[in-house]
Amino acid sequence: MECNFIKVHTGKDLAISTMVLLSGAGLFFINMGLGICIGICGLCMFIFYKGGIQPQRLSKDMKEVPSDLTYITTRQKMLHTCDCMISVIMSMNPQPES
């Protein structure tokens, strides 16, 4: 089974983006050019800054489970998720050949 992950916003990402945006708004009254620049950076961070990953949600057609897999335990689901995450991490950081 193929494991697909997507990047998502985390609470930490949103907090950092909010602080940058608010500091840009505050700096606007001290130095207008710098405030606008940092404010635009904060807005861009809201759009593009995603530090977390989560499994990609399947469409309704793909959620149907074959009858032989209906009795999978929670432990087996967690082990499968861990295996998928390990394979993603290993594909991001390949080991050097000896």
Side-chain angles (χ1 to χ4, degrees):
M1 180 182 286
E2 186 177 327
C3 301
N4 295 322
F5 290 92
I6 56 173
K7 288 194 147 286
V8 295
H9 295 287
T10 62
K12 184 175 111 178
D13 300 334
L14 295 174
I16 292 171
S17 302
T18 302
M19 293 303 295
V20 171
L21 185 64
L22 290 177
S23 64
L27 281 173
F28 180 79
F29 297 106
I30 297 171
N31 185 347
M32 191 167 119
L34 184 62
I36 290 173
C37 181
I38 292 181
I40 290 172
C41 290
L43 287 174
C44 289
M45 286 175 72
F46 268 116
I47 297 169
F48 299 112
Y49 188 45
K50 297 178 180 180
I53 60 170
Q54 82 177 37
Q56 186 175 15
R57 298 183 194 266
L58 301 174
S59 65
K60 289 182 180 179
D61 297 335
M62 296 178 71
K63 283 188 180 179
E64 294 181 13
V65 179
S67 61
D68 60 334
L69 298 176
T70 54
Y71 296 106
I72 294 177
T73 63
T74 303
R75 183 172 187 267
Q76 289 171 331
K77 288 178 186 177
M78 289 184 348
L79 288 174
H80 176 69
T81 303
C82 291
D83 289 341
C84 292
M85 294 181 88
I86 288 171
S87 66
V88 167
I89 291 170
M90 293 302 288
S91 67
M92 284 196 253
N93 299 321
Q95 297 293 328
E97 293 182 16
S98 300

